[in-house]
């Protein structure tokens, strides 16, 4: 709708200052000619907006002009109250600020929308943590935040998974990402993107040097590249198992990240075939937790790994039993 587009232009100019016409056109998915017509409409309605053509031109509001109009629709107001996911703001020390901001938004909403927004805050809850994820260690994000917002380099003492001692890195941060309740620092190291779990950072030192990010790369770009590397990493081992139907739901929940595909079985047979993908054969040992409710069908090396794990458990209990007798 044109009214929504005019309000979007007004709010963008109020927030950004001078904005090139082509950038507004791209943001609002219209032509540059339409943007100039919208600017004329705003001017005709009394908004002090003007356009300057040329290489360094753009569209701008008269200095000092501000509007208190929110222009929020009913759906937009509900969306604001849903975005307040628990955990993320607390970790950044912004819980109080978020509560204050939402109260101000509530006061600024058109009266007919306030009840719906209030009901939304009571009826919709976003919990970003996974089931049975275990207690998360406390994470100090203060220094990481300082580096991100002041565009400074960082020296990290960071312990990788499985490593006994931390390593030292000098990195150029792009920003912080909260993924399923876990905070990550996205940064370049030697001009290559790296991902650092915040709860594995032993210490972080803010350096006086400015960041040296790759030209044109933003946080979203670096995160997308790293996310693809993690999620599209080819599996090293395809494993086929048979699971008792009585334990199938639990098995699928606990092994969701390793499923090659959801089992296509709507019958009533006692056993259901499931296909998994593991990075290395040793990961198949975790299947032992389902005991006689699961059978490894293939490949032989995965079957042998589970058998070896079972033999190790049996041997352990035999030794303990003999020692206690």
């Amino acid at each position: 709708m044109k009214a929504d587009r005019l309000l979007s232009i007004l709010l963008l100019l109020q927030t950004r200052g001078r904005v090139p016409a082509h950038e507004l056109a791209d943001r609002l998915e219209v032509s540059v000619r339409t943007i100039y017509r919208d600017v004329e409409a705003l001017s005709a309605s009394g908004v002090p907006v003007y356009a300057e053509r040329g290489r360094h031109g753009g569209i701008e509001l008269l200095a000092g002009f501000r509007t208190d109009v929110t222009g929020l629709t009913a759906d937009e107001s509900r969306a604001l109250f849903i975005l307040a996911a628990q955990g993320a703001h607390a970790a950044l020390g912004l819980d109080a600020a978020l509560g204050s901001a939402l109260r101000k938004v509530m006061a600024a909403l058109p009266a007919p929308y306030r009840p719906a927004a209030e009901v939304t805050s009571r009826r919709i809850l976003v919990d970003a943590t996974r089931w049975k994820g275990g207690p998360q260690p406390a994470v100090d994000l203060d220094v990481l935040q300082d580096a991100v917002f002041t565009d400074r380099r960082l020296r990290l003492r960071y312990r990788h998974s499985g490593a006994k001692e931390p390593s030292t890195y000098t990195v150029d941060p792009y920003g912080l990402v909260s993924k399923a309740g876990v905070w990550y620092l996205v940064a370049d190291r030697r001009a290559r993107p790296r991902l650092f779990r915040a709860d594995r950072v032993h210490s972080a030192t803010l350096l006086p040097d400015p960041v040296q990010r790759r030209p044109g790369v933003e946080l979203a770009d670096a995160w997308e590249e790293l996310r693809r590397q993690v999620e599209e990493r080819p599996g090293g081992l395809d494993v086929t198992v048979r699971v008792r139907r009585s334990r199938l739901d639990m098995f699928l929940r606990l092994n969701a990240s390793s499923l090659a595909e959801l089992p296509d079985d709507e019958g009533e047979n006692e056993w259901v075939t499931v296909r998994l993908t593991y990075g290395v054969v040793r990961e198949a040992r975790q299947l032992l937790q389902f005991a006689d409710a699961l059978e490894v069908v293939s490949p032989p090396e995965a079957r042998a790994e589970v058998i070896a794990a079972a033999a190790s458990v049996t041997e352990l209990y035999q030794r303990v039993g003999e020692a206690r007798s």
Side-chain angles (χ1 to χ4, degrees):
M1 293 179 60
K2 182 176 180 179
D4 287 341
R5 192 171 67 245
L6 293 177
L7 182 58
S8 295
I9 292 173
L10 178 58
L11 295 176
L12 281 168
L13 295 178
Q14 185 170 285
T15 303
R16 298 270 306 278
R18 180 176 296 183
V19 182
H22 68 83
E23 184 175 333
L24 287 172
D26 290 342
R27 290 284 296 271
L28 301 176
E29 298 181 346
V30 295
S31 67
V32 172
R33 179 175 296 180
T34 297
I35 291 296
Y36 281 120
R37 284 202 299 264
D38 288 344
V39 168
E40 291 178 1
L42 284 171
S43 180
S45 65
V47 176
V49 59
Y50 63 94
E52 288 190 2
R53 300 181 183 274
R55 181 178 179 183
H56 300 291
I59 298 168
E60 190 172 359
L61 292 170
L62 191 66
F65 175 80
R66 303 290 296 176
T67 177
D68 292 330
V69 63
T70 65
L72 290 173
T73 66
D75 285 344
E76 289 168 344
S77 63
R78 284 196 293 267
L80 283 175
F81 284 84
I82 291 174
L83 67 80
Q86 290 183 343
H89 301 89
L92 296 172
L94 295 175
D95 258 2
L98 176 66
S100 175
L102 290 179
R103 286 192 294 272
K104 291 177 181 178
V105 170
M106 180 68 80
L109 284 177
Y113 298 162
R114 292 175 193 168
E118 186 177 355
V119 168
T120 298
S121 67
R122 298 201 311 265
R123 297 290 183 265
I124 305 295
L125 174 66
V126 179
D127 187 344
T129 58
R130 295 181 296 177
W131 290 110
K132 298 183 179 180
Q136 295 292 330
V139 178
D140 185 358
L141 297 176
D142 289 348
V143 177
L144 303 186
Q145 283 191 84
D146 286 345
V148 166
F149 291 123
T150 60
D151 290 332
R152 303 263 290 280
R153 304 188 98 186
L154 272 173
R155 180 174 293 118
L156 300 179
R157 290 280 292 162
Y158 183 81
R159 183 186 62 80
H160 292 277
S161 177
K164 294 182 178 179
E165 298 295 332
S167 302
T168 301
Y169 301 108
T170 297
V171 300
D172 297 292
Y174 286 95
L176 294 165
V177 175
S178 178
K179 173 74 169 174
V182 178
W183 282 99
Y184 295 90
L185 173 70
V186 177
D188 273 356
R189 179 173 181 263
R190 296 177 180 173
R192 296 180 64 85
R194 295 285 298 272
L195 202 57
F196 300 92
R197 272 186 65 141
D199 56 9
R200 292 183 185 157
V201 175
H202 278 224
S203 65
T205 304
L206 200 62
L207 300 179
D209 310 318
V211 294
Q212 299 177 18
R213 302 185 183 112
R214 286 167 288 153
V217 178
E218 298 291 339
L219 171 61
D221 305 316
W223 170 253
E224 179 63 17
E225 182 178 354
L226 292 164
R227 185 195 61 79
R228 285 201 308 268
Q229 290 176 11
V230 173
E231 295 184 358
E232 298 176 9
R233 182 182 300 158
L237 185 71
D238 294 327
V239 177
T240 301
V241 301
R242 295 198 311 152
V243 185
R244 289 190 189 274
R245 186 176 297 278
S246 60
R247 301 295 304 281
L248 181 62
D249 286 346
M250 177 64 72
F251 178 83
L252 295 178
R253 285 201 297 272
L254 295 181
N255 293 274
S257 62
S258 301
L259 290 176
E261 59 186 15
L262 288 174
D264 184 15
D265 187 286
E266 299 181 357
E268 298 181 356
N269 294 332
E270 180 184 2
W271 295 89
V272 178
T273 299
V274 181
R275 292 176 176 81
L276 306 165
T277 301
Y278 289 132
V280 293
V281 68
R282 190 172 180 82
E283 293 179 15
R285 290 189 167 225
Q286 63 188 284
L287 298 172
L288 187 61
Q289 65 184 303
F290 287 89
D292 60 352
L294 179 145
E295 177 195 0
V296 178
V297 178
S298 66
E301 56 266 35
R303 188 180 180 95
E305 192 70 29
V306 174
I307 292 172
S312 297
V313 172
T314 301
E315 181 183 354
L316 171 64
Y317 279 96
Q318 286 177 343
R319 288 201 309 269
V320 171
E322 292 172 357
R324 290 179 178 175
S325 61

